[in-house]
Amino acid sequence: MEALASGEAAEETESSAGLLRHPKYAEMMALNIGDGAQVYTAFLVFLDLLEARNWKDVTCKGSKELQLVYLLGCPGERKEVKVVLPLPVHMSLSHERIRRIMENVCNQREQELTLATVDSDSTVVYYQLTNGFVVPDPPDDHKEYDIKKCKKKQKFQR
């Protein structure tokens, strides 16, 4: 059993070493911004956006002022560029820091940021942050919405 466990550990170490030799990881490290954990987290989010979420034109940028690496890309077939801030799950953020990040890395017209938190098992969870309240999009099919609304009213009136 120990031989199996050590073999699995060796495989995991080899695959991690392979990831660290990736050209995009080297590009992120060359920015000399942020600590190693934040850069590695940015690389994992970069891979998730490209391979699992089918984003296009994902690039990495750095902010010396904030000491962070962040990503820019287009979700799916859309043309608008979104900002993604990858952070390890153990890194905490204050409201003030989030505001400073949004002011520095987001488009002045549309202050929207996707926070990507990465756990130690490489699980990525995305949070959509905006500066202020955002009115939700209307339902796609107004007829379907109206029918459901009427059925709810009928149910309560009985």
Side-chain angles (χ1 to χ4, degrees), residues 141-156:
D141 188 3
H142 294 291
K143 275 187 178 178
E144 185 177 317
Y145 176 75
D146 290 339
I147 291 170
K148 286 180 184 178
K149 193 172 168 184
C150 289
K151 285 182 180 179
K152 279 186 181 178
K153 281 183 182 179
Q154 288 173 355
K155 192 185 243 184
F156 288 118

Side-chain angles (χ1 to χ4, degrees), residues 79-82 102-103 105-113 130-131 134:
K79 297 292 183 202
E80 75 265 7
V81 176
K82 298 289 183 182
M102 290 181 87
E103 288 171 355
V105 302
C106 294
N107 181 341
Q108 294 301 323
R109 182 180 50 81
E110 185 179 323
Q111 290 228 328
E112 186 174 291
L113 174 73
T130 59
N131 188 7
V134 175

Side-chain angles (χ1 to χ4, degrees), residues 94-150:
S94 66
H95 285 81
E96 181 182 319
R97 179 130 166 95
I98 292 170
R99 182 170 303 284
R100 273 200 341 251
I101 291 168
M102 290 181 87
E103 288 171 355
N104 284 291
V105 302
C106 294
N107 181 341
Q108 294 301 323
R109 182 180 50 81
E110 185 179 323
Q111 290 228 328
E112 186 174 291
L113 174 73
T114 301
L115 177 64
T117 58
V118 180
D119 202 353
S120 59
D121 66 354
S122 300
T123 302
V124 182
V125 178
Y126 295 93
Y127 298 93
Q128 194 68 37
L129 305 177
T130 59
N131 188 7
F133 291 108
V134 175
V135 178
D137 292 332
D140 290 336
D141 188 3
H142 294 291
K143 275 187 178 178
E144 185 177 317
Y145 176 75
D146 290 339
I147 291 170
K148 286 180 184 178
K149 193 172 168 184
C150 289

Side-chain angles (χ1 to χ4, degrees), residues 49-50 53-58 73-82:
L49 292 174
L50 284 177
R53 306 206 181 273
N54 296 321
W55 279 41
K56 307 286 187 246
D57 304 322
V58 180
C74 300
E77 297 301 319
R78 294 190 228 160
K79 297 292 183 202
E80 75 265 7
V81 176
K82 298 289 183 182

